[in-house]
Amino acid sequence: MKPRSRRIVTGHDKQGCAIFQEDGLPPRDLALGVGEAITRFDEVWNTQETPARIDRASGEPEEDGIVVAPPANGTRIRIVDFPPDAASITQLSAEEARERFAEVGAGDASKHGEEGSPHPLMHRPETVDYGIIMEGEITLILDTEERIVRAGDTVIQRGTNHGWANLSGKFCRVVFVLIDGVFEDGLG
């Protein structure tokens, strides 16, 4: 498993000067999977309103556990380390896939078992996501297409049904910025 990422948070002192408020590991993380097939989520920060509140030193808004979607009208940044895919992933039943997504508050986003679903970890969140591949490569799977994305590439995911498959044999690290969204034009 890859080393966890460092989180540095700035703020303001009583005089309004910029200060370092925190420096350390993100306080919330989750490891999903078993054996060598462990996907790690490092929750870096969230905002719970737009525009985001900027004050002297309140810190990150409180949340319990790890939740895939950002808060309503908010944002979330997380770092995900994807291990190489294990055979156990391709053998997940629809119920097991929903249970995995339920562990991160997204059981309803799972699309495995629906007609034509090309991968067991397909899901469709009501968000706009920016995925920046920092290390390695990973395959982005859509309903009828897929693309390999590599370190330095950025994916803008606009509420689409998708899954991630790491077929490279090496770890892949992706930074995700998730923004709360609303389906329009009958997409929901």
Side-chain angles (χ1 to χ4, degrees):
M1 193 172 305
K2 310 267 317 155
R4 293 191 58 209
S5 297
R6 178 177 169 198
R7 177 179 88 166
I8 300 167
V9 180
T10 63
H12 301 89
D13 66 15
K14 291 179 182 176
Q15 292 75 36
C17 290
I19 60 167
F20 291 105
Q21 188 176 323
E22 295 179 36
D23 186 342
L25 297 176
R28 292 178 297 129
D29 72 302
L30 176 69
L32 287 176
V34 292
E36 296 294 313
I38 302 228
T39 300
R40 176 179 295 284
F41 291 73
D42 261 339
E43 294 298 278
V44 179
W45 194 265
N46 78 85
T47 62
Q48 298 190 353
E49 59 197 356
T50 301
R53 189 175 310 227
I54 300 171
D55 60 11
R56 292 194 188 280
S58 64
E60 181 182 15
E62 288 290 323
E63 282 191 310
D64 291 328
I66 305 290
V67 180
V68 167
N73 299 312
T75 65
R76 176 176 317 290
I77 182 170
R78 76 167 41 100
I79 297 169
V80 180
D81 287 327
F82 292 95
D85 277 10
S88 59
I89 290 176
T90 60
Q91 298 167 1
L92 285 175
S93 69
E95 182 179 327
E96 291 169 325
R98 274 190 290 285
E99 287 172 3
R100 275 210 150 148
F101 280 105
E103 290 182 59
V104 289
D108 293 341
S110 176
K111 300 300 178 192
H112 183 41
E114 293 185 7
E115 186 176 332
S117 181
H119 190 273
L121 296 179
M122 295 295 284
H123 59 291
R124 186 174 182 217
E126 197 168 355
T127 60
V128 172
D129 305 345
Y130 306 139
I132 305 152
I133 293 65
M134 301 300 293
E135 180 180 334
E137 70 178 42
I138 195 160
T139 301
L140 172 59
I141 303 167
L142 302 180
D143 290 327
T144 60
E145 303 180 75
E146 57 185 59
R147 297 267 161 81
I148 295 173
V149 291
R150 295 177 176 88
D153 293 344
T154 301
V155 174
I156 294 91
Q157 189 79 313
R158 299 177 54 242
T160 53
N161 190 32
H162 69 284
W164 299 99
N166 185 346
L167 307 175
S168 72
K170 298 178 182 174
F171 267 88
C172 178
R173 178 169 279 183
V174 183
V175 174
F176 290 100
V177 177
L178 297 87
I179 303 166
D180 185 35
V182 178
F183 287 130
E184 293 186 358
D185 301 327
L187 289 175

